[in-house]
């Protein structure tokens, strides 16, 4: 355990996720100073007032050069992670970067190189790792309870309001695909559970009959071959209708080993509410009129659920575990910057394979990815 020094926290991006992590920071005893940055004054001012922030600006450079800052959360929109992340690295901060590490594979490689060269502790926001069920599975696999894993099948289903919310904020949509933005969660989970296996090739296909008007694909399905000959099927559709009861994510993962099997049903259909009272959308983009929903899969919002004005669930666990990591030096299950970069390359390799209609060897070259995908 390290000496416990107060955390000086910078939060760049005060939207939904930045707000959650900042509120939790204000309640964590090891955080002594909090500064905020958002380009939208009303969003930043509202959060600053709610948590009694010590500093607020619309210029991340002004925030990150404050002498009080020791650690930075980058919670901007997906396309805008690079600049504040590189600035925080330059300042020598510990980092929590929302996924993906970047939406440009070359920038992602640059971030990873800078993190490693500076010797900084940088983690990526993969909240699913902090759920009890996946931690339980990880322990069973690590202790060899089903023998040698040789086959993994993963399927993710999502309401189409998520991609609409994501892509409508920008015209730079070429890399905002189902795999890069959302499938990365289930890919990260599967590779974390298969720790020690390295993908060597992938073949994927995509379709875009529904979401093409928004500049993205509906679904991507692919098969990875690993270095030991095992296979991993990774499939996602984020084009389900707006009335789909899942707030955001539903996953199924089947893991077959030489001595057993683990079958994970994480679709949230075990807790269903049906009501005459119209329900709000689980993840409704601003200005988008979604149809009324009268059935909900409760607990299907990945960050967690509200009770008594507080968020309870995996994002609380993940965020507080990071503060504990900074404050005490305790080891945590967070994804590293290297894993975040790997995940981006693999999700983009699936998109490249789908575009070429042929297998792609792994790992792909970042420049090759960007030249072909954009």
């Amino acid at each position: 355990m390290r000496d416990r020094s107060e955390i000086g926290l910078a939060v760049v991006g005060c939207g939904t996720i930045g707000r959650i992590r900042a509120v939790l920071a204000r309640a964590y005893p090891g955080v002594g100073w909090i500064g905020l940055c958002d380009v939208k004054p009303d969003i930043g001012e509202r959060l600053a007032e709610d948590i009694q922030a010590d500093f607020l600006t619309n210029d991340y450079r002004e925030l990150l050069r404050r002498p009080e800052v020791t650690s930075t959360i980058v919670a901007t929109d997906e396309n805008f992670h690079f600049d504040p992340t590189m600035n925080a690295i330059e300042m020598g901060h510990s980092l929590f970067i929302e996924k993906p590490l970047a939406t440009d594979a070359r920038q992602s490689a640059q971030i990873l190189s800078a993190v490693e060269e500076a010797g900084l502790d940088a983690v990526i926001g993969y909240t699913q790792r902090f759920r009890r069920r996946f931690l339980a599975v990880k322990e069973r696999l690590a202790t060899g309870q089903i023998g040698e894993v040789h086959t993994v099948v993963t399927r993710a289903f999502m309401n189409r309001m998520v991609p609409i919310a994501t892509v409508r904020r920008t015209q730079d949509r070429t890399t905002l695909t189902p795999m890069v933005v959302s499938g990365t969660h289930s890919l990260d989970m599967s590779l974390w559970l298969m720790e020690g296996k390295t993908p060597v090739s992938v073949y994927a296909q995509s379709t875009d009959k529904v979401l093409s008007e928004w500049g993205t694909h509906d679904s991507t399905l692919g098969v990875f071959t690993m270095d030991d000959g095992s296979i991993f099927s990774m499939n996602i559709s984020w084009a389900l209708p707006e009335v789909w009861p899942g707030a955001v994510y539903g996953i199924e993962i089947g893991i077959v080993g030489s001595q057993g099997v683990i079958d994970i049903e994480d679709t949230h259909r075990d807790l269903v509410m049906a009501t005459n009272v119209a329900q709000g959308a689980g993840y409704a983009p601003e200005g988008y009129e979604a149809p009324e929903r009268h059935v909900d899969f409760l607990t299907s919002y990945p960050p967690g659920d509200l009770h008594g004005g507080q968020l309870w669930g995996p994002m609380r666990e993940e965020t507080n575990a990071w503060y504990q990591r900074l404050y005490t030096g305790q080891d945590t299950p967070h994804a590293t910057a290297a894993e975040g970069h790997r995940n981006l390359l693999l999700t983009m390799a699936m998109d490249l394979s789908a575009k070429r209609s042929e297998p792609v060897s792994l790992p792909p070259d970042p420049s090759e990815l960007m030249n072909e995908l954009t």
Side-chain angles (χ1 to χ4, degrees):
M1 293 290 184
R2 65 164 65 107
D3 291 337
R4 301 189 179 194
S5 300
E6 270 197 348
I7 300 165
L9 181 67
V11 180
V12 183
C14 300
T16 302
I17 304 304
R19 165 175 278 273
I20 290 171
R21 301 201 193 277
V23 168
L24 291 168
R26 179 48 79 201
Y28 189 82
V31 176
W33 189 94
I34 304 177
L36 307 176
C37 173
D38 201 283
V39 294
K40 296 181 179 179
D42 57 326
I43 292 177
E45 289 167 6
R46 190 158 53 246
L47 179 57
E49 181 178 352
D50 289 346
I51 68 167
Q52 295 297 292
D54 299 287
F55 183 75
L56 172 66
T57 180
N58 62 1
D59 182 352
Y60 68 83
R61 297 173 188 85
E62 182 183 15
L63 172 59
L64 298 182
R65 67 171 174 257
R66 293 279 303 204
E68 298 92 344
V69 179
T70 62
S71 305
T72 295
I73 293 174
V74 178
T76 61
D77 287 351
E78 286 86 353
N79 283 338
F80 302 106
H81 289 179
F82 180 73
D83 289 335
T85 299
M86 291 299 290
N87 192 248
I89 293 169
E90 184 180 337
M91 300 304 296
H93 299 165
S94 298
L95 276 156
F96 190 114
I97 308 160
E98 298 299 338
K99 61 80 198 164
L101 197 57
T103 54
D104 183 312
R106 296 162 299 195
Q107 291 182 344
S108 178
Q110 192 174 340
I111 289 172
L112 176 59
S113 177
V115 165
E116 292 180 340
E117 185 176 339
L120 298 176
D121 184 41
V123 304
I124 314 300
Y126 284 102
T127 307
Q128 299 280 0
R129 289 190 181 204
F130 289 80
R131 296 181 59 203
R132 177 181 173 185
R133 60 177 47 204
F134 293 124
L135 289 166
V137 171
K138 175 73 170 176
E139 183 67 17
R140 300 306 189 279
L141 293 171
T143 54
Q145 298 302 298
I146 65 168
E148 182 182 358
V149 172
H150 56 78
T151 305
V152 176
V153 179
T154 302
R155 189 216 74 179
F157 270 0
M158 298 178 63
N159 190 300
R160 73 180 62 161
M161 284 182 286
V162 175
I164 293 172
T166 301
V167 303
R168 74 194 309 270
R169 296 193 295 259
T170 178
Q171 291 302 312
D172 185 11
R173 302 173 176 180
T174 52
T175 58
L176 297 179
T177 64
M179 275 307 307
V180 169
V181 176
S182 291
T184 183
H185 280 293
S186 43
L187 179 136
D188 175 75
M189 175 55 59
S190 298
L191 291 178
W192 184 54
L193 296 177
M194 288 190 287
E195 189 171 4
K197 297 178 184 291
T198 302
V200 295
S201 70
V202 63
Y203 178 65
Q205 292 280 272
S206 295
T207 184
D208 60 359
K209 294 185 181 299
V210 175
L211 293 172
S212 56
E213 65 174 299
W214 294 96
T216 189
H217 302 303
D218 302 340
S219 310
T220 299
L221 283 64
V223 176
F224 289 89
T225 300
M226 314 301 278
D227 57 349
D228 63 352
S230 55
I231 54 175
F232 163 40
S233 170
M234 173 64 236
N235 310 300
I236 182 172
S237 177
W238 67 351
L240 275 66
E242 296 95 325
V243 294
W244 175 250
V248 178
Y249 225 99
I251 309 174
E252 291 181 290
I253 304 177
I255 306 170
V256 185
S258 57
Q259 302 297 320
V261 60
I262 297 177
D263 191 22
I264 308 166
E265 197 277 329
D266 195 48
T267 62
H268 310 283
R269 293 196 292 258
D270 57 336
L271 190 54
V272 180
M273 179 180 73
T275 174
N276 291 327
V277 179
Q279 300 297 299
Y283 197 93
E286 183 180 351
Y288 176 67
E289 291 297 326
E292 289 187 356
R293 301 162 76 247
H294 294 271
V295 178
D296 262 331
F297 295 159
L298 302 183
T299 75
S300 61
Y301 183 54
D305 294 281
L306 289 173
H307 171 70
Q310 298 182 64
L311 180 80
W312 300 90
M315 189 164 285
R316 186 186 187 100
E317 295 274 358
E318 176 192 37
T319 307
N320 284 336
W322 184 60
Y323 299 143
Q324 188 171 353
R325 179 188 182 107
L326 297 177
Y327 193 52
T328 69
Q330 182 170 316
D331 190 31
T332 62
H334 289 94
T336 64
E339 290 171 326
H341 178 60
R342 174 207 64 190
N343 293 347
L344 180 70
L345 293 185
L346 294 181
T347 56
M348 286 187 164
M350 290 182 72
D351 290 339
L352 181 59
S353 175
K355 183 175 182 179
R356 289 179 176 175
S357 290
E358 63 182 38
V360 168
S361 296
L362 303 172
D365 177 76
S367 295
E368 181 183 5
L369 284 174
M370 298 312 298
N371 289 338
E372 289 203 46
L373 292 177
T374 60

